[in-house]
């Protein structure tokens, strides 16, 4: 007896025979929703092949529904054979030998007279070369990074564990402003915030390691820690040492600077603190202790590397004369044309050298001198040495996040050449280290297996999620109502931008809702367009919707990649874009229900391999309704998000994510505006479909194992 689902495989065609008798014919329909393949371990075996290693490629189709599956590689065509079948699907297979070069492929599906193509973006009537699957023999990412739960810490604002190392009022001048010691931890950032210091440090992170471990954090990503005059430290002063204001200050005395440094009336204090070898070495030792403590708990540590530019305070430039005449330091490029560091920078007017502002600055900023690698092999060698130093003994960091990585160098040719060298240096020193880059736009040119491992995932995560759930641009500078709840835009954006990733790169891509450069996600739920300067700090927390934040976290913890929390998001922290997004962690004022919710979602993510390395497939959706599955051959999950202000009911073809045609699925997470629940609730699957009603601003995660 044919079931309803069996009948869906056929199309009715009416005609009359030659004698005038009416005949009802049945011809097969190609079940496009059942077609599937990707680069995960169920469909590419092994998923990270070595050079000259054979690979088995699999393709799934509805049982008895297609005539031919052909794997196409350039002019080569591989006829695939059925290797396995179950109650729902046929699994076709063929074997390839990629050799040493990148192997690209797509599938041709033939059913009767119908022919279509299948690639990274799904089913298509046309061949789309930009969406071909790709295998890079010899390329792999660290296993620990796949689906790893990361936690970003902006150190000055996380926890003050050692007040003795705090920056003092007027200790030095930065951009013509005296430094300010903020003595009220809860005080909101000012519009000019770069020279204001709250005192957060590495000792504070060590003190809060129990909290991070209990939350479920697997990786700490630090914003820059190296010596720097700013609180954000994206203007590196010395790549060899941790800043003593984050580390340890053992000696504090010193002598005033030379009379020529008029803008730094109290900089002698800073000069001594940051040039004292006792302080610098003690700070490096504290970092060693932090990494050891993190590793003891199974937590990795990633450093932020700012190698496109440095700071004008840098010992190579020394515009502020911090290192002038100091023992152990050579003259900076700003003070003399004879400096060995002169070619580290590009001076635009040699005839008038030195003269303020004559060197190239990143985006024209003279506090951020751009590094001139092409003219200085010594600089390149030094930075590659730094790349190796911090991932090696005794520091043992687990990888690098690379600031504005696509900007490094003065040409794309050099940029790619440098990152190939950088990757080789890091992997030689620590094969298990991760190379992760900040990048906006299509990263495909750098994700060919020989440069970056992966990227901060703006285009294939932060942007689509933010637009769908809030309608807000990530800086809170624009609200587009037509983007709010736009399911088609979400699907199209994800399919398009995820295709730029090799599968291993996608599995460790940094999936963030917020970070130090953009407004807090919770603030974006209030749809207020503006900044701290225009609206004031209080507006950032007015009218926010925690239910939408919980929807976002459900997506974050069930989407391919490494879900990355920005410190304080889990505690309900708000804030407009930089500098307001860099508020202090609200110790003692946390939203404890949100923390418990994050802890439970992290636990669900960590306990289930399908959520770390499994496949993803969209199910039916509608305006404000987002539905998809995460699955492998052992586990199946269905995630449904209702981002509407009204209840919605939807029917989903869950069989397309390997859920049996008749079974029950168990609810393991349910969120609403009133709270959340992990209590088990069962839903029946009939004929491969499930029907569910969700209240307003809610999400559910269902599991079949």
């Amino acid at each position: 007896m044919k079931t309803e689902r069996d009948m869906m495989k056929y199309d009715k065609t009416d005609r009359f025979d030659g004698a005038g008798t009416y005949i009802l014919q049945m011809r097969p329909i190609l079940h496009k929703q059942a077609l599937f393949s990707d680069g995960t371990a169920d469909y590419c075996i092994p998923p990270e092949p070595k050079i000259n290693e054979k690979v088995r490629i699999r393709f799934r189709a509805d049982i008895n529904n297609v005539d031919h599956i052909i794997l196409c590689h350039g002019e080569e065509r591989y006829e695939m054979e059925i290797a396995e079948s179950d109650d729902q699907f046929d699994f076709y297979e063929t074997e390839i030998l990629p050799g040493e070069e990148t192997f690209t492929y797509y599938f041709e599906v033939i059913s009767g007279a119908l022919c279509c193509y299948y690639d990274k973006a799904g089913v298509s009537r046309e061949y789309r070369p930009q969406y071909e699957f790709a295998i890079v023999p010899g390329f792999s990412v660290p296993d620990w990074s796949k689906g790893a739960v990361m936690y970003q810490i902006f150190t000055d604002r996380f926890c003050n564990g050692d007040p003795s190392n705090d920056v003092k009022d007027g200790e030095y001048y930065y951009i013509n402003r005296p430094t300010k010691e903020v003595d009220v931890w809860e005080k909101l950032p000012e519009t000019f915030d770069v020279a204001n210091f709250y005192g957060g440090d590495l000792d504070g992170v060590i003190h809060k390691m129990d909290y991070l471990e209990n939350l479920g954090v697997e990786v700490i990503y630090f914003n820059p820690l190296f010596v720097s005059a700013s609180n954000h430290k994206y203007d590196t002063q010395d790549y060899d040492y941790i800043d003593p204001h984050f580390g340890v200050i053992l000696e504090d005395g010193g002598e005033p600077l030379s009379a020529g440094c008029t803008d730094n009336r109290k900089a002698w204090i800073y000069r001594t603190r940051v040039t004292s070898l006792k302080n610098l070495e003690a700070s490096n030792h504290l970092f060693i202790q932090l990494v050891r403590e993190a590793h003891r708990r199974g937590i990795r540590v990633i450093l932020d590397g700012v190698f496109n530019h440095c700071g004008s305070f840098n010992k190579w430039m020394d515009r502020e004369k911090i290192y002038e005449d100091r023992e152990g330091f050579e003259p900076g490029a700003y003070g003399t044309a004879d400096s060995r560091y002169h070619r580290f920078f590009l001076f635009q007017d040699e005839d008038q050298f030195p003269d303020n502002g004559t060197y190239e600055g990143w985006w024209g900023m003279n506090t951020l001198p751009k590094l001139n690698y092409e003219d200085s092999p010594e600089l390149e060698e030094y930075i590659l040495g730094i790349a190796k130093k911090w991932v090696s003994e005794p520091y043992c960091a687990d990888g690098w996040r690379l600031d504005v990585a696509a900007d490094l160098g003065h040409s794309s040719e050099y940029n790619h050449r440098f990152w190939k060298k950088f990757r080789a240096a890091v992997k030689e020193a620590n094969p298990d280290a991760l190379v992760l880059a900040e990048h906006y736009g299509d990263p495909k040119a750098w994700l060919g297996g020989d440069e970056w491992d992966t990227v901060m995932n703006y285009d294939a995560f932060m942007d689509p999620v933010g637009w769908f759930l809030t309608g807000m641009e990530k800086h809170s500078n624009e609200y587009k109502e037509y983007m709010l709840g736009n399911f088609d835009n979400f699907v199209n954006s994800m399919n398009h931008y995820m295709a730029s990733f090799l599968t291993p790169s996608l599995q460790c891509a940094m999936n963030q809702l917020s970070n130090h450069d953009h407004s807090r996600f919770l603030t974006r739920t209030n749809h207020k367009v503006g900044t701290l300067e225009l609206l004031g700090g209080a507006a950032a927390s007015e009218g926010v919707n925690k239910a939408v934040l919980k929807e976002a976290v459900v997506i974050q913890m069930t989407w391919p990649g490494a879900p990355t929390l920005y410190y304080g998001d889990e505690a309900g922290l708000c804030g407009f874009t930089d500098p307001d997004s860099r508020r202090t962690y609200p110790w003692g004022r946390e939203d404890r229900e949100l923390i418990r919710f994050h802890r439970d979602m992290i636990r669900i993510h960590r306990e289930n391999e399908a959520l770390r390395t499994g496949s993803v497939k969209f199910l039916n959706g509608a305006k404000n309704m987002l539905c998809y599955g995460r699955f492998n051959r052992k586990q199946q999950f269905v995630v449904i998000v209702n981002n509407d202000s009204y209840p919605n009911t939807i029917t989903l073809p869950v069989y397309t994510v390997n859920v049996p045609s008749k079974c029950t699925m168990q609810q393991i997470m349910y969120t609403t505006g009133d709270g959340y629940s992990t209590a088990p609730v069962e839903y029946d699957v009939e004929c491969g479909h499930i029907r569910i009603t969700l209240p307003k601003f809610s999400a559910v995660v269902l599991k079949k194992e």
Side-chain angles (χ1 to χ4, degrees):
M1 178 178 178
K2 293 187 182 296
T3 67
E4 177 186 350
R5 179 150 173 254
D6 290 330
M7 295 300 292
M8 290 169 60
K9 298 179 183 178
Y10 296 90
D11 188 16
K12 298 176 182 179
T13 302
D14 298 340
R15 70 174 180 85
F16 290 90
D17 68 7
T21 304
Y22 175 79
I23 298 174
L24 177 64
Q25 285 190 329
M26 305 292 283
R27 64 176 177 83
I29 293 176
L30 178 60
H31 255 189
K32 295 180 181 179
Q33 283 188 311
L35 303 178
F36 189 78
S37 186
D38 64 9
T40 66
D42 283 341
Y43 297 93
C44 180
I45 310 162
E48 297 172 311
K50 298 178 175 60
I51 291 175
N52 292 321
E53 182 177 11
K54 291 181 179 179
V55 180
R56 287 185 293 132
I57 302 294
R58 283 196 156 197
F59 189 93
R60 189 195 74 180
D62 210 347
I63 196 164
N64 299 325
N65 187 235
V66 301
D67 297 321
H68 301 280
I69 304 290
I70 300 168
L71 185 148
C72 305
H73 166 64
E75 299 299 320
E76 299 178 39
R77 295 166 63 83
Y78 299 77
E79 179 83 25
M80 304 182 75
E81 302 291 340
I82 295 177
E84 179 187 349
S85 298
D86 58 22
D87 292 340
Q88 301 187 100
F89 302 110
D90 290 326
F91 293 88
Y92 290 76
E93 187 175 292
T94 191
E95 188 174 77
I96 61 172
L97 182 61
E100 299 183 10
E101 302 299 322
T102 299
F103 186 95
T104 59
Y105 63 97
Y106 61 98
F107 300 95
E108 185 177 300
V109 182
I110 299 172
S111 179
L114 178 64
C115 176
C116 67
Y117 301 95
Y118 190 92
D119 53 31
K120 278 188 173 183
V123 178
S124 173
R125 293 182 179 180
E126 300 176 349
Y127 162 57
R128 301 178 290 190
Q130 70 272 30
Y131 294 141
E132 284 189 328
F133 293 96
I135 296 172
V136 178
F139 171 66
S140 64
V141 301
D143 282 341
W144 61 262
S145 69
K146 297 171 186 175
V149 179
M150 300 188 182
Y151 191 89
Q152 179 185 352
I153 294 180
F154 190 88
T155 307
D156 183 61
R157 309 296 163 84
F158 183 65
C159 179
N160 189 345
D162 179 10
S164 72
N165 63 18
D166 292 356
V167 175
K168 305 302 180 186
D169 280 347
E171 182 173 322
Y172 58 94
Y173 273 63
Y174 185 84
I175 313 182
N176 298 320
R177 305 253 186 135
T179 56
K180 183 187 296 185
E181 180 182 12
V182 182
D183 55 6
V184 178
W185 185 255
E186 296 79 16
K187 186 178 183 298
L188 299 185
E190 298 176 353
T191 53
F192 183 87
D193 185 62
V194 69
N196 296 344
F197 294 84
Y198 286 73
D201 50 34
L202 295 186
D203 200 52
V205 177
I206 293 173
H207 276 94
K208 296 298 182 180
M209 204 68 80
D210 283 345
Y211 168 75
L212 298 175
E213 183 180 15
N214 291 334
L215 188 63
V217 171
E218 296 174 287
V219 182
I220 297 172
Y221 152 47
F222 281 106
N223 286 107
L225 298 177
F226 303 129
V227 178
S228 165
S230 65
N231 56 37
H232 57 68
K233 306 207 178 302
Y234 281 98
D235 44 4
T236 309
Q237 187 170 325
D238 190 335
Y239 293 95
D240 276 302
Y241 295 103
I242 302 297
D243 194 303
H245 289 297
F246 283 174
V248 179
I249 292 179
L250 298 175
E251 57 183 14
D252 217 5
E255 73 285 355
L257 286 177
S258 63
C261 195
T262 56
D263 285 339
N264 292 272
R265 283 165 278 178
K266 291 189 177 181
W268 61 272
I269 303 175
Y270 181 67
R271 180 188 198 190
T272 304
R273 287 184 169 191
V274 302
T275 60
S276 162
L277 284 177
K278 277 188 178 181
N279 293 344
L280 295 170
E281 290 172 356
S283 299
N284 280 10
H285 184 69
L286 181 63
F287 178 77
I288 294 170
Q289 290 179 279
L290 182 148
V291 174
R292 287 175 179 170
E293 179 60 25
H295 285 178
R296 185 181 69 82
R297 299 166 182 262
I299 298 174
R300 306 275 179 161
V301 175
I302 291 177
L303 289 170
D304 207 324
V306 187
F307 302 130
N308 167 70
H309 55 271
C310 64
S312 60
F313 281 67
N314 190 285
K315 62 184 180 182
W316 301 328
M317 176 65 79
D318 200 20
R319 189 182 72 169
E320 287 75 18
K321 303 185 186 302
I322 296 296
Y323 297 92
E324 188 174 64
D325 302 326
R326 299 293 290 178
E327 184 179 353
F329 297 97
E330 298 187 45
Y334 195 79
T336 172
D338 296 328
S339 170
R340 63 175 287 201
Y341 306 123
H342 180 50
R343 292 299 174 190
F344 283 25
F345 309 96
L346 187 60
F347 287 88
Q348 287 121 350
D349 193 344
E350 297 286 357
D351 294 336
Q352 297 182 24
F353 177 87
D355 184 23
N356 291 351
T358 61
Y359 54 83
E360 179 187 16
W362 183 63
W363 280 25
M365 292 182 278
N366 63 7
T367 57
L368 302 176
K370 184 171 173 62
L371 293 171
N372 183 31
Y373 289 89
E374 285 91 334
D375 291 336
S376 180
E378 183 184 357
L379 170 63
E380 179 184 271
E381 182 181 359
Y382 177 87
I383 292 297
L384 294 179
I386 288 294
K388 292 189 287 188
K389 171 180 176 174
W390 289 98
V391 298
S392 303
E393 291 282 357
Y395 305 106
C396 298
D398 299 287
W400 289 100
R401 178 267 189 189
L402 307 170
D403 187 58
V404 294
D407 291 0
L408 185 140
H410 291 94
S411 69
S412 61
E413 292 79 13
Y414 178 79
N415 182 279
H416 288 290
R417 191 162 66 246
F418 176 86
W419 291 124
K420 287 178 173 64
K421 292 180 180 179
F422 185 93
R423 176 186 182 82
V426 170
K427 299 294 184 176
E428 177 188 5
N430 182 351
D432 213 26
L434 185 69
V435 179
L436 183 157
E438 178 193 28
H439 185 68
Y440 296 84
D442 190 348
K444 191 171 185 177
W446 291 269
L447 296 181
D450 56 355
E451 297 183 48
W452 309 336
D453 282 323
T454 191
V455 295
M456 300 178 74
N457 198 2
Y458 289 113
D459 290 346
F461 186 78
M462 182 187 279
D463 286 346
V465 172
W467 285 120
F468 180 83
L469 293 180
T470 72
M472 294 288 291
E473 191 273 337
K474 56 182 172 285
H475 287 283
S476 287
N477 62 15
E478 191 175 13
Y479 172 63
K480 296 181 179 179
E481 187 174 5
Y482 71 89
M483 294 288 277
L484 179 62
N486 190 324
F487 175 74
D488 290 336
N489 177 75
F490 186 92
V491 172
N492 292 337
S493 294
M494 286 298 195
N495 283 340
H496 176 73
Y497 290 111
M498 288 169 68
S500 292
F501 292 79
L502 298 170
T503 297
S505 298
L506 184 65
Q507 291 173 341
C508 61
M510 186 181 277
N511 288 348
Q512 295 186 295
L513 299 172
S514 318
N515 63 31
H516 61 292
D517 284 328
H518 307 101
S519 57
R520 295 272 180 174
F521 186 89
L522 185 55
T523 287
R524 276 178 264 150
T525 67
N526 67 13
H527 302 161
K528 290 183 183 290
V529 175
T531 62
L532 171 66
E533 186 173 13
L534 291 174
L535 301 179
S541 55
E542 293 173 353
V544 298
N545 191 335
K546 284 201 306 181
V548 175
L549 172 61
K550 286 185 283 188
E551 293 172 33
V553 175
V554 167
I555 298 172
Q556 184 182 40
M557 294 296 161
T558 58
W559 197 257
T564 304
L565 280 65
Y566 182 41
Y567 79 99
D569 269 8
E570 78 278 15
L573 205 56
C574 291
F576 291 113
T577 198
D578 165 32
D580 199 34
S581 59
R582 302 172 183 183
R583 298 183 182 188
T584 53
Y585 187 101
W587 299 111
R589 299 173 290 113
E590 306 95 325
D591 185 321
R592 297 196 177 277
E593 191 258 356
L594 267 183
I595 291 177
R596 289 194 297 272
F597 167 71
H598 276 82
R599 186 181 297 124
D600 281 330
M601 274 309 310
I602 290 171
R603 173 185 52 78
I604 289 170
H605 173 85
R606 291 185 58 174
E607 287 177 352
N608 295 285
E609 186 60 31
L611 296 179
R612 299 177 75 104
T613 61
S615 301
V616 63
K617 183 175 174 59
F618 286 107
L619 304 171
N620 288 349
K623 183 171 176 58
N624 285 312
M625 290 291 287
L626 175 62
C627 314
Y628 59 91
R630 292 296 308 280
F631 59 102
N632 57 27
R633 297 297 297 276
K634 296 180 180 179
Q635 296 179 320
Q636 296 85 43
F637 294 85
V638 171
V639 181
I640 311 163
V641 175
N642 178 22
N643 194 48
D644 207 337
S645 55
Y646 298 93
N648 274 310
T649 300
I650 196 164
T651 300
L652 301 173
V654 295
Y655 75 93
T656 65
V657 293
N658 288 3
V659 175
S661 291
K662 186 173 181 60
C663 65
T664 58
M665 297 195 76
Q666 188 173 91
Q667 172 185 292
I668 60 174
M669 174 58 72
Y670 174 66
T671 79
T672 67
D674 298 325
Y676 77 97
S677 173
T678 57
V681 177
E682 291 189 343
Y683 291 84
D684 291 331
V685 177
E686 297 288 346
C687 297
H689 289 69
I690 196 168
R691 185 172 176 83
I692 190 168
T693 299
L694 287 182
K696 66 178 182 179
F697 298 121
S698 62
V700 66
V701 181
L702 308 178
K703 179 180 182 179
K704 177 69 179 75
E705 190 157 9

